[in-house]
């Protein structure tokens, strides 16, 4: 990124790089490789098998993504064991994983934990935790409160106290994505020096993860309970805002990419179905009403893709305000995914409502994704407030009455 030293600033320097984004041949090859891998390892039967298993995903498949394909740490610097590529490449990976509805700690490990670790100050703990996550031999997630994709320090529910040379954490964190089975938990807690981020072993006796019953069975969530759990300090009060700011911005951009992948897959499947399903001796895709619905779905997908790519590019290059770029992406992509998923179910007719068809799995993922880091309405309100505040603060521009244009 084109910002100052990693871990010291939340917001990259705006205007530090060109805003134009071009897809390279390497990125096309990366997408093709992921698509082939997912076709073999995450077909409909595999998704159902993994989501009904005890762990919720196949550890072997996850490990192959790390050590064989090397795609779990594309945005991680080479000195930490990553590929040293960028968030744009990481977003391509997540988009394809979302298209395949791959079961695994995609958001917890790739979207939250690794960005938080990368943004933390260099040290032995960071050097110890990152490489196994990049290799896919361990998993992690972030247990920190957020409000619509922004860190909320007022919602901290975990306390930290000194215990010998280390720390102990006590408290409860509700609805932690990918917490069940995570090897490492990055927990935000309030201590004597302020709010800080700590690393806790997910397998410690003092840590309990209670699985939650959620709409989306392909992505597990759990309540984390800590009772004097041993912890190590990762980021102190002086850098917690920068670290978690970077993590949540990155997660928002990658979640948007995942939503695009799911929406594109549903569009492709629905177009294929419309070409084959016959009514009155004609494919239903030949009827004008169906054509219009499919065209609307295409517009939604392309609009969402532009917003998601811009968010990843803006965070990688510092070419735009991350606050606005990620909110625009979330407002656009979460709404598009939901609407495309709903249309896909309807256009498939009765089969689309059945347990046997994949459409309902994507619909449930779309609904859940839209709520994870704030719904479209919340982000639109945030964007409007930010833009109108800027207009009111611009010299020579009269204030806007009642906050409305």
């Amino acid at each position: 990124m084109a910002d100052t030293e990693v871990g010291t600033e939340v917001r990259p320097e705006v205007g530090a790089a060109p805003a134009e984004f071009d897809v390279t041949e390497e990125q096309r090859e990366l997408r093709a490789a992921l698509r082939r891998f997912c076709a073999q390892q995450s077909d409909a039967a595999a998704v159902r098998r993994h989501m009904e298993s005890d762990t919720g995903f196949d550890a072997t498949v996850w490990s192959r993504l790390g050590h064989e394909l090397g795609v779990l740490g594309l945005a991680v610097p080479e000195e930490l064991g990553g590929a040293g590529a960028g968030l744009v490449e990481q977003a391509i990976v997540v988009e394809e994983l979302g298209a395949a509805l791959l079961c695994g700690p995609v958001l917890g490990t790739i979207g939250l934990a690794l960005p938080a670790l990368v943004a933390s100050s260099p040290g032995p703990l960071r050097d110890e935790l990152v490489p196994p996550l990049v290799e896919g031999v361990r998993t992690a997630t972030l247990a920190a409160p957020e409000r619509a994709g922004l860190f909320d320090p007022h919602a901290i529910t975990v306390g930290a106290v000194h215990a010998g040379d280390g720390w102990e954490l006590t408290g409860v964190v509700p609805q932690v994505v990918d917490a069940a089975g995570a090897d490492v938990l990055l927990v935000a807690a309030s201590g004597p020096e302020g709010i800080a981020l700590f690393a806790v072993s997910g397998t410690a006796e003092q840590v309990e993860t209670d699985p939650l019953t959620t709409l989306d069975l392909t992505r597990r969530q759990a309540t984390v309970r800590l009772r004097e759990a041993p912890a190590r300090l990762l980021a102190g009060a002086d850098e917690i805002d920068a670290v978690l700011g970077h993590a949540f911005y990155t997660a928002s951009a990658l979640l948007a990419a995942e939503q695009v992948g799911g929406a594109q897959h549903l569009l492709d499947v629905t177009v294929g179905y419309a070409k084959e399903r016959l009514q009155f001796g004609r494919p239903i895709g030949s009827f004008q009403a169906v054509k219009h619905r499919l065209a609307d779905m295409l517009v939604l997908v392309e609009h969402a893709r532009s917003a998601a790519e811009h968010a990843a590019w803006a965070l990688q290059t510092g070419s735009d305000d991350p606050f606005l770029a990620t909110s625009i992406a979330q407002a656009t992509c979460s709404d598009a995914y939901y609407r495309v998923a709903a249309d896909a179910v309807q256009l498939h007719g009765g089969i689309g409502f059945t347990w046997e068809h994949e459409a309902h799995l994507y619909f449930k993922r779309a609904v859940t994704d839209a709520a994870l880091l704030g719904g479209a309405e919340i982000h639109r309100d945030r964007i409007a407030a930010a833009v109108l505040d800027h207009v009111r603060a611009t010299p020579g521009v009269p204030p806007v009455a009642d906050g409305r244009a």
Side-chain angles (χ1 to χ4, degrees):
M1 296 181 66
D3 52 350
T4 56
E5 183 180 355
V6 173
T8 62
E9 181 66 34
V10 177
R11 298 159 70 93
E13 180 185 350
V14 176
E20 183 179 357
F21 171 68
D22 293 321
V23 179
T24 66
E25 185 60 32
E26 290 78 8
Q27 291 168 348
R28 293 189 183 92
E29 293 175 357
L30 172 64
R31 185 182 297 278
L34 258 295
R35 192 165 294 180
R36 290 192 299 269
F37 180 86
C38 290
Q40 297 172 357
Q41 304 298 329
S42 187
D43 58 11
V47 170
R48 294 180 183 277
R49 184 171 64 253
H50 297 155
M51 75 182 194
E52 295 171 356
S53 66
D54 293 336
T55 59
F57 71 103
D58 188 331
T60 301
V61 172
W62 187 258
S63 178
R64 289 185 61 191
L65 285 170
H67 75 265
E68 186 176 314
L69 273 70
V71 298
L72 299 183
L74 287 178
V76 175
E78 293 184 42
E79 58 268 24
L80 290 175
L87 190 59
V88 171
E89 286 75 18
Q90 195 69 78
I92 292 172
V93 171
V94 173
E95 180 182 337
E96 291 303 317
L97 298 182
L101 213 64
L102 185 133
C103 297
V106 177
L107 184 60
T109 299
I110 302 177
L112 290 166
L114 278 172
L117 287 164
V118 169
S120 301
S121 296
L125 179 56
R126 188 181 74 161
D127 295 343
E128 172 192 332
L129 294 178
V130 172
L133 298 180
V134 171
E135 285 292 315
V137 297
R138 304 188 79 192
T139 64
T141 192
L142 178 65
E146 55 83 24
R147 185 176 182 182
L150 295 178
F151 173 51
D152 185 0
H154 302 292
I156 293 289
T157 54
V158 178
V161 296
H162 285 288
D165 295 333
W167 296 82
E168 288 182 349
L169 305 187
T170 300
V172 179
V173 187
Q175 292 184 289
V176 181
V177 174
D178 297 326
D183 298 298
V184 179
L185 300 172
L186 303 182
V187 183
S190 179
E193 289 86 23
I195 298 173
L197 189 65
F198 299 86
V200 178
S201 171
T203 59
E205 294 181 0
Q206 300 87 346
V207 177
E208 295 180 7
T209 53
D210 299 331
L212 299 173
T213 301
T214 58
L215 181 68
D216 179 16
L217 300 179
T218 64
R219 171 171 282 149
R220 303 289 178 88
Q221 297 185 44
T223 296
V224 176
R225 305 181 188 278
L226 306 144
R227 297 182 178 86
E228 299 180 347
R232 291 182 289 175
L233 180 65
L234 177 66
D238 58 334
E239 60 175 330
I240 187 70
D241 288 336
V243 169
L244 294 186
H246 177 74
F248 283 120
Y249 281 145
T250 302
S252 294
L254 293 181
L255 182 61
E258 177 188 278
Q259 292 165 330
V260 170
Q264 180 67 66
H265 175 80
L266 286 176
L267 174 60
D268 295 339
V269 170
T270 307
V271 169
Y273 180 78
K275 293 178 179 179
E276 298 175 356
R277 178 70 168 92
L278 300 180
Q279 279 190 349
F280 310 109
R282 297 170 54 188
I284 63 172
S286 65
F287 298 120
Q288 190 176 45
V290 175
K291 289 180 180 179
H292 286 177
R293 185 74 71 88
L294 292 173
D296 290 342
M297 293 168 67
L298 174 62
V299 171
L300 287 169
V301 172
E302 291 303 312
H303 188 194
R305 173 170 286 108
S306 296
E309 289 180 348
H310 174 72
W313 180 250
L315 290 178
Q316 177 174 309
T317 64
S319 57
D320 199 358
D321 187 335
F323 176 85
L324 281 177
T326 54
S327 275
I328 290 171
Q330 275 300 295
T332 305
C333 298
S334 61
D335 182 58
Y337 194 8
Y338 173 80
R339 291 169 62 184
V340 168
D343 284 348
V345 172
Q346 291 188 15
L347 288 173
H348 275 84
I351 189 64
F353 288 85
T354 65
W355 177 254
E356 288 76 18
H357 200 275
E358 64 178 352
H360 79 93
L361 296 179
Y362 283 86
F363 179 81
K364 292 176 180 178
R365 170 66 71 88
V367 172
T368 304
D369 276 2
L372 280 178
L373 295 175
E377 295 81 4
I378 295 175
H379 284 284
R380 290 191 187 108
D381 288 343
R382 177 182 293 170
I383 295 164
V387 171
L388 292 177
D389 285 345
H390 171 72
V391 170
R392 284 193 293 267
T394 303
V397 177
V400 180
D402 300 326
R404 293 178 291 181

